Amino acid sequence: MYLTNTETIPGKEITACYGLVTGNTVRAKHIGRDIAAGLKNIVGGELTGYTELLNESRQDAVERMKAEAAGLGANAVVNVRFATSSVAQGAAELFAYGTAVRVE
Amino acid sequence: MGVLIQLGLFVVMLTLGFVVGRVRESRHLSELEVRETRMRHVAALPVPHAAWVRDAQASELVSGSVVVSIDYYKRFVAGLRGLVGGRIAGFESVLDRGRREAVLRMQEQALQRGFHVVVNVRVDSARLASTMSNGKGTSGVEVLAYGTALRLPAHARPSA
């Protein structure tokens, strides 16, 4: 499965378009990570645990988007976009969307 | 007595935030400069460079992200600033560091996977809600940079 955030896949030709595909995950952090992050909140800087958590979750969202695309018969998703929003205390939604296409 | 303990804790956190926060910030800034110099040849452009896209031999979505938080001292100063208005320099520098870090990680991922440039770069940030309903607890800002990495033939690569 090819993924890009440009309108085309370099060196390939788009032969069919299947429209919008999306994938999301809502994840909450766990308490251990939160205690470490709480200490970091005093001295500032990167909250490594959260960075990893959001990266894993985004990967999940991408996998769901790919699965939807594959189900439609696509072999690539172009124009991929990401969005993150906090939906509740200690939880965030990771969202990925793009256009499913077939390339040759 | 309880008030004294609270005041003492406040002063300790403020001092800790100020001293450790400053050291960490200056260390991060000098580290960013070194890595940015090293990554300069992995051009990251916000546009889909037509000639590169045409010449590319392979492409892949790459991304870099970081969750940053502001130190206790800066948060306190920002609170005061909220009373009188104006620029909050402390937040500006933290967000700036976060963006540079995210873009660097994206470039490093591209290089590591054997790509030469990244086009159509997007940089987003999202505030993560605090973990307690009273607005206390930890909070941070996530910065995400992503784009399409391209593998270019030798003649088409930008010179370092």
Side-chain angles (χ1 to χ4, degrees), chain B residues 42-49 52 106 117-122 146-148:
Chain B
V42 185
L45 304 186
V47 292
H49 194 295
W52 286 350
M106 177 193 71
V117 295
V118 187
V119 296
N120 227 3
V121 174
R122 298 284 177 269
Y146 60 102
T148 301

Side-chain angles (χ1 to χ4, degrees), chain B residues 73-85 88:
Chain B
Y73 173 78
K74 281 183 172 177
R75 200 175 301 133
F76 176 71
V77 172
L80 293 182
R81 180 57 79 185
L83 299 175
V84 293
I88 306 178

Side-chain angles (χ1 to χ4, degrees), chain A residues 3-6 10 29 34 37-38 40-47 50-51 54-55 58 81-82 84 86 89, chain B residues 17 20-21 24 53 59 61 65 67 69-72 75 105 120 124 126-127 129-131 138-139 142 146 148:
Chain A
L3 292 182
T4 65
N5 78 335
T6 50
K29 40 102 209 96
D34 209 38
K40 278 276 183 68
N41 246 273
I42 298 171
V43 295
E46 180 177 6
L47 308 177
Y50 285 8
T51 306
L54 291 182
N55 264 336
R58 190 174 298 109
R81 297 283 180 270
F82 292 111
T84 309
S86 9
Q89 261 97 42
Chain B
V20 184
R24 286 167 60 94
V53 170
S59 68
L61 196 67
S65 75
V67 177
S69 91
I70 193 161
D71 66 59
Y72 196 84
R75 200 175 301 133
R105 287 181 184 181
N120 227 3
D124 265 343
R127 183 177 181 275
S130 63
T131 49
T138 54
S139 59
E142 189 205 26
Y146 60 102
T148 301

Side-chain angles (χ1 to χ4, degrees), chain A:
Chain A
M1 180 79 62
Y2 299 98
L3 292 182
T4 65
N5 78 335
T6 50
E7 287 174 21
T8 54
I9 307 273
K12 309 264 179 209
E13 204 183 323
I14 295 176
T15 54
C17 177
Y18 302 95
L20 189 72
V21 284
T22 63
N24 79 337
T25 45
V26 177
R27 285 275 283 267
K29 40 102 209 96
H30 73 75
I31 195 102
R33 271 175 170 161
D34 209 38
I35 290 167
L39 296 175
K40 278 276 183 68
N41 246 273
I42 298 171
V43 295
E46 180 177 6
L47 308 177
T48 321
Y50 285 8
T51 306
E52 285 165 13
L53 180 71
L54 291 182
N55 264 336
E56 287 162 18
S57 313
R58 190 174 298 109
Q59 208 49 51
D60 288 350
V62 169
E63 290 306 323
R64 287 186 181 179
M65 178 182 74
K66 280 173 158 181
E68 189 184 336
L72 292 170
N75 64 353
V77 182
V78 295
N79 251 324
V80 174
R81 297 283 180 270
F82 292 111
T84 309
S85 52
S86 9
V87 290
Q89 261 97 42
E93 186 202 29
L94 288 300
F95 182 53
Y97 58 105
T99 306
V101 294
R102 169 156 286 280
V103 295
E104 266 150 38

